[in-house]
Amino acid sequence: MTSAPLDIDAKLADIVPRLSKRLREENQRGRSGRVREVVGVIIHATVEEARLGEICDLVDPKTGRRVRAEVVGIADGSAVLVPLDDLAGLSSLTEVIPVAAQLQIGVGPGLLGRVVSALGEPLDGRPLHAGTLDDRRPVHAFPPSPLSRGLISEPIQLGIRALDGMLTCARGQRIGLFGEPGIGKSTLLANIVRGTDADVAVVALVGERGREVREFVEHALGPEGMARTVIVAATSDRPAIERVKAAFVATTIAEYFRDRGQHVLLAMDNITRFARAQREIGLASGEPPTRRGFPPSLFAALPRLLERAGPGQTGTITGLYSVLLEGDGTLDPVAEELQALLDGHVFLSSDLARRDHFPAIDILRSRSRLMNAVISQPHRADATHIRELMSRHAEVELLVRIGEYQKGSDAVADEAVAKIDRINAFLRQSSDQHESMEHTTRRLRDIVNG
């Protein structure tokens, strides 16, 4: 009998990938090294040809414990690594094996409605099927070329009257929510995610308390809000590098949906904890402290992160970043840097919060730099007039309270005193209430004409 001819092409198709994989593994083994020193959260290891940003596997030969780490520096012939997990179980015998790649995550429609970690792994107890993820992307990427970006030309509805009416945000704008702890930044972000007309929302919970993640998913967003939302969570107990990566992973996911031509809302709560995690890594790896102890790498990382948001060639990423303020923020280097980098700032007032005024937005202190570029002339005129009335009322408020205000001496002040209650009612909004942009502008016009 003669044997059937071998299908050489089929054999090669099967052998070549396995051979390539084996060669890569042998090459990685050839570059492997050992842990030399562990100080705090920093690992020093002898690794041949270590590359910045490269992921390494730390494998202990006795316990079998395996931990991933990222190369963040090179010093005195050693690679400086930051672990992406707990270091318990590793030893001086631990082998360090570079994987010849930067951190990547799977992206696709299957992420909608899911809660994932800063490494792109599911946290909600359900498997993340590869079939629902149609691409893998590096966590660190370059922003679009400045001249390839689309022009910002239309507003985005956030569902909050104070924002849509008085501080209108544009599609592709980046805006900061500044305020002290406990005055409603997280609640406001959740309300915006539920009320926005964006196609997709990506929420980064950076350094939050563990209990707050589930509360945000089930109470703040609910099933309707989660249906079009991806949440990336790195709680306060996670390693500093993971809290940093959460911000970049959320931005990478937002970029995927933007590149599909969708309008994405990227909400980050909060970027101050990202900065503190970056400080922890920088100081531990030997960087010199600068302003308020923050290392130079932070002030390089912030624009690299923020510039990835904004308009693309087709879709847009509208970025909302909550910022914790120390005092009034005048001596806070992170808040100061963010005000310079972002396209607008919304300040939340502790005084308004104490009066149960939600959202506690200080309109007179806040500004949207792109508002005038995306709203109509009547809307601009109405918002300007309301702002003028609020400013004038602030000037005469003390006189009104003590009964010393004389009506008729100033027409603008008289109008401000007469309309301040209607203005405050317009600016206050319950956490379960959302309004369209059209209804908001109509109410604004009614106040002006009333």
Side-chain angles (χ1 to χ4, degrees):
M1 292 179 63
T2 57
S3 59
L6 294 175
D7 188 347
I8 297 177
D9 291 339
K11 289 286 186 183
L12 287 174
D14 180 56
I15 293 172
V16 169
R18 288 190 285 120
L19 181 61
S20 299
K21 181 180 179 181
R22 184 169 180 179
L23 287 172
R24 284 197 306 270
E25 291 173 349
E26 291 296 327
N27 181 57
Q28 292 161 13
R29 285 282 175 181
R31 293 175 54 212
S32 67
R34 290 197 181 277
V35 170
R36 196 180 79 179
E37 184 181 37
V38 179
V39 180
V41 297
I42 296 296
I43 302 166
H44 294 265
T46 54
V47 184
E48 186 179 350
E49 297 181 11
R51 298 177 177 87
L52 290 176
E54 188 172 24
I55 299 298
C56 297
D57 284 335
L58 278 60
V59 184
D60 191 273
K62 288 191 175 181
T63 64
R65 172 93 163 121
R66 181 182 291 263
V67 173
R68 280 184 291 179
E70 180 178 334
V71 179
V72 297
I74 299 171
D76 298 327
S78 298
V80 181
L81 301 100
V82 176
L84 295 167
D85 206 343
D86 188 68
L87 288 174
L90 301 184
S91 69
S92 58
L93 300 176
T94 297
E95 187 176 9
V96 182
I97 307 170
V99 301
Q102 294 188 341
L103 182 64
Q104 295 185 340
I105 60 163
V107 291
L111 289 174
L112 291 173
R114 305 300 304 272
V115 182
V116 298
S117 73
L119 305 180
E121 300 166 345
L123 292 177
D124 50 15
R126 294 181 287 139
L128 193 56
H129 298 292
T132 64
L133 306 177
D134 53 23
D135 194 8
R136 288 192 66 81
R137 294 194 173 198
V139 170
H140 294 276
F142 292 104
S145 167
L147 296 181
S148 71
R149 291 183 184 268
L151 294 175
I152 288 177
S153 59
E154 58 182 12
I156 182 173
Q157 175 185 298
L158 301 179
I160 306 297
R161 289 192 298 266
L163 295 175
D164 290 343
M166 301 296 298
L167 301 164
T168 310
C169 185
R171 292 193 189 275
Q173 184 171 354
R174 301 164 308 169
I175 199 161
L177 303 179
F178 295 78
E180 300 172 24
I183 59 174
K185 293 185 300 299
S186 299
T187 304
L188 178 57
L189 274 181
N191 286 1
I192 290 172
V193 171
R194 290 203 311 270
T196 183
D197 62 355
D199 301 317
V200 175
V202 180
V203 180
L205 300 178
V206 182
E208 292 289 334
R209 304 172 186 88
R211 65 170 178 80
E212 291 179 332
V213 177
R214 185 172 179 183
E215 290 174 359
F216 191 90
V217 172
E218 298 186 8
H219 297 158
L221 289 185
E224 184 179 348
M226 276 299 297
R228 57 171 178 166
T229 302
V230 183
I231 292 181
V232 181
T235 51
S236 58
D237 60 306
R238 302 306 302 166
I241 189 68
E242 198 167 322
R243 282 174 271 145
V244 168
K245 293 300 180 191
F248 287 103
V249 166
T251 303
T252 299
I253 294 171
E255 287 173 329
Y256 164 78
F257 289 106
R258 178 196 63 193
D259 294 344
R260 298 180 69 193
Q262 294 179 289
H263 297 296
V264 184
L265 177 71
L266 172 61
M268 196 169 294
D269 189 18
N270 62 61
I271 200 166
T272 304
R273 295 195 182 107
F274 163 86
R276 291 172 180 172
Q278 186 72 44
R279 175 174 62 183
E280 184 179 333
I281 296 168
L283 295 181
S285 60
E287 282 192 74
T290 55
R291 298 155 61 189
R292 298 291 290 272
F294 287 100
S297 62
L298 169 66
F299 300 102
L302 282 174
R304 283 202 305 268
L305 173 67
L306 298 174
E307 280 297 324
R308 291 171 63 182
Q313 290 183 328
T314 52
T316 61
I317 298 175
T318 303
L320 291 177
Y321 304 90
S322 67
V323 186
L324 285 173
L325 286 182
E326 297 181 14
D328 62 0
T330 55
L331 298 177
D332 187 335
V334 174
E336 184 182 60
E337 190 75 10
L338 288 168
Q339 285 189 65
L341 291 171
L342 296 173
D343 305 316
H345 43 270
V346 175
F347 283 94
L348 274 66
S349 164
S350 57
D351 180 57
L352 289 175
R354 283 192 293 269
R355 287 189 260 162
D356 200 27
H357 181 117
F358 180 85
I361 297 172
D362 187 339
I363 297 294
L364 297 179
R365 194 180 173 194
S366 304
R367 184 69 63 182
S368 171
R369 296 178 182 172
L370 298 179
M371 176 176 176
N372 289 341
V374 296
I375 61 173
S376 65
Q377 179 59 39
H379 183 179
R380 184 183 305 121
D382 292 343
T384 300
H385 187 65
I386 294 294
R387 185 180 285 268
E388 182 184 5
L389 294 180
M390 294 179 68
S391 177
R392 187 60 60 89
H393 183 268
E395 295 173 0
V396 302
E397 184 176 12
L398 180 60
L399 294 175
V400 173
R401 287 184 177 182
I402 64 176
E404 292 295 324
Y405 176 74
Q406 297 296 324
K407 187 176 180 180
S409 60
D410 186 324
V412 177
D414 290 346
E415 184 182 3
V417 172
K419 293 183 175 180
I420 192 62
D421 288 339
R422 292 185 64 192
I423 292 173
N424 286 332
F426 171 81
L427 297 176
R428 297 177 80 156
Q429 191 169 334
S430 63
S431 59
D432 59 351
Q433 184 182 11
H434 304 97
E435 291 191 9
S436 67
M437 181 75 76
E438 292 76 14
H439 189 260
T440 294
T441 54
R442 190 162 56 248
R443 286 193 59 173
L444 201 65
R445 170 52 59 91
D446 290 343
I447 294 173
V448 172
N449 293 337

